[in-house]
Amino acid sequence: MNILITGSKGFIGKNLIANLNQNKNNKILEFNKSTKQKLDSLVKKSDLIYHLAGENKSSNKSDFVKNNINLTERICKLIVENKLKTRMIFSSTIQSGNKTIYGKTKKNCEKIIKKYFKNKKNQFLILNIPNVFGKWSKPFHNSFISTFAYQVSREKKVNLVNSERKLRLIYIDDLVKNLVSIKNKKNLNKVNFKYSNIIISSPFAVLNLLKLFYKNDKEKIITNFSTPFVKKLYSTYLYYMPKKLVTQKIFNNTDHRGTFAEILKLGKYGQLSYFSILPGKIRGGHYHHTKTEKFLIIDGAVIFNFKDLYTGKKYSIKVSDKDKKIVTTVPGWVHDINNVSKKTAKLIVWANEVFSKKKPDTYFANMK
């Protein structure tokens, strides 16, 4: 299928093309402000047009007329005058028909499409797309969310307007899936299109979440991603933060036994840490009342020694990196870890709670 994407370098266009290119049966034709190939020849080759091109932010009103109304009419006229069977999916907006020049020109585009294709065999679908957010958007241009993410991650002031106003949002990947799902419909005119995964939120709520992401990342705390919106918004936030924040330094606590470092704090899901044990050295020699830990040896060999504090019963287990085993500590059992190899042992440990200096739930006891 030959698919023409107008506005191919735009926010939605770039994401749509990335998805369509995953199917080798799709031949993608692109039209944008820098396209050298004439629009006439592109339209004539097309089986389907995703008409995404348009002006949404300009200080010159004539740009809206040129890039919205005139372009749309030109495409429609090419299809009709050349008696093409080309189908069209047009990206309008929920702002269509409002008092802004953007909303007015988008509404005019809808009227043009309906006028040209009235009583024609050409299929078309007009989509009033909600506020879209995600990667490859331009801050201060496409989406307030990309703007907020850019500002928050750089500790810049954010100006809120109508902060509590409820907005309909859709994540770019969800929108693209919606767009791709209808490309093979036999009759676009009869498609009862419904967006999936619409999110209702406000600028104030979005801003607070972005600030939480920045704070948590700085403190190596994993945010709760139990809701799809938070997960999608965090992925969006990551794209717009400065690249210097991609890496974070881990602070090590080193003594005669080796090194210990907290990697990530997982909130109610505990904490992930890393530590090493020098040859012949022992770590541990304590027990917990409630805390439990799971250890994975990634290099070297160690012996875990355990003693039930109540019964006094003991047992030991030798584990090396070749075993690919996880060892769990049991509350009420004293435990230590002895490096019996000739090289530094390296381990990753998960604990079911974030470490607190005030309530460490760690009590030293004799293994004898």
Side-chain angles (χ1 to χ4, degrees), residues 50-280:
Y50 284 100
H51 183 23
L52 310 176
E55 190 67 58
N56 67 350
K57 194 171 185 179
S58 174
S59 58
N60 191 342
K61 289 186 178 181
S62 63
D63 288 339
F64 289 92
V65 175
K66 175 185 175 183
N67 298 322
N68 290 347
I69 296 175
N70 294 351
L71 178 61
T72 300
E73 185 159 26
R74 185 181 168 193
I75 293 171
C76 292
K77 189 179 288 188
L78 282 167
I79 292 173
V80 172
E81 290 182 350
N82 291 279
K83 298 180 180 180
L84 303 175
K85 295 181 180 180
T86 308
R87 299 175 298 146
M88 179 190 287
I89 298 171
F90 175 62
S91 66
S92 190
T93 170
I94 55 174
Q95 298 181 50
S96 173
N98 68 16
K99 295 180 180 179
T100 66
I101 185 67
Y102 173 62
K104 289 177 181 178
T105 52
K106 278 293 189 179
K107 189 66 177 180
N108 282 337
C109 289
E110 295 176 22
K111 291 178 180 178
I112 289 167
I113 293 169
K114 292 175 182 177
K115 180 187 76 172
Y116 272 89
F117 295 155
K118 185 180 180 180
N119 300 324
K120 302 291 182 182
K121 293 182 180 180
N122 300 94
Q123 299 175 30
F124 70 93
L125 181 62
I126 296 172
L127 302 179
N128 295 104
I129 298 176
N131 296 279
V132 190
F133 69 98
K135 67 183 183 302
W136 301 343
S137 169
K138 292 180 182 178
F140 309 100
H141 183 79
N142 292 118
S143 163
F144 78 93
I145 292 180
S146 61
T147 303
F148 283 7
Y150 180 91
Q151 292 172 315
V152 168
S153 60
R154 290 164 177 77
E155 297 185 352
K156 294 183 179 293
K157 183 180 178 181
V158 177
N159 293 318
L160 277 178
V161 179
N162 297 325
S163 62
E164 297 292 349
R165 180 166 57 103
K166 296 299 182 183
L167 300 174
R168 295 178 75 231
L169 308 171
I170 187 167
Y171 185 52
I172 186 62
D173 286 5
D174 293 328
L175 174 62
V176 166
K177 288 176 184 176
N178 288 176
L179 293 175
V180 172
S181 70
I182 55 178
K183 75 179 179 68
N184 293 320
K185 296 292 183 181
K186 291 183 179 179
N187 193 337
L188 288 176
N189 298 338
K190 294 184 178 180
V191 170
N192 182 19
F193 185 80
K194 292 183 179 179
Y195 295 101
S196 61
N197 301 316
I198 289 292
I199 299 154
I200 307 297
S201 191
S202 68
F204 180 74
V206 168
L207 180 59
N208 281 342
L209 278 171
L210 293 171
K211 287 181 176 178
L212 179 66
F213 298 155
Y214 179 73
K215 175 180 177 294
N216 283 355
D217 278 9
K218 201 172 183 180
E219 298 175 3
K220 302 182 186 69
I221 298 172
I222 295 297
T223 302
N224 182 354
F225 297 123
S226 59
T227 61
F229 176 47
V230 175
K231 178 182 176 182
K232 294 167 184 176
L233 186 62
Y234 180 68
S235 294
T236 303
Y237 163 81
L238 291 177
Y239 186 79
Y240 299 102
M241 70 180 186
K243 298 301 176 280
K244 66 180 181 180
L245 297 184
V246 171
T247 57
Q248 282 181 290
K249 187 176 181 180
I250 292 178
F251 295 97
N252 298 327
N253 294 310
T254 302
D255 59 22
H256 67 283
R257 300 167 300 172
T259 296
F260 181 89
E262 295 178 344
I263 300 175
L264 292 171
K265 298 174 183 177
L266 310 176
K268 65 180 181 179
Y269 297 106
Q271 178 173 302
L272 190 66
S273 303
Y274 157 87
F275 69 95
S276 64
I277 310 175
L278 296 173

Side-chain angles (χ1 to χ4, degrees), residues 302-318:
V302 299
I303 292 179
F304 284 88
N305 298 304
F306 297 98
K307 183 181 79 169
D308 188 322
L309 189 66
Y310 176 68
T311 65
K313 291 184 178 179
K314 300 179 182 179
Y315 87 94
S316 299
I317 177 172
K318 185 176 181 179

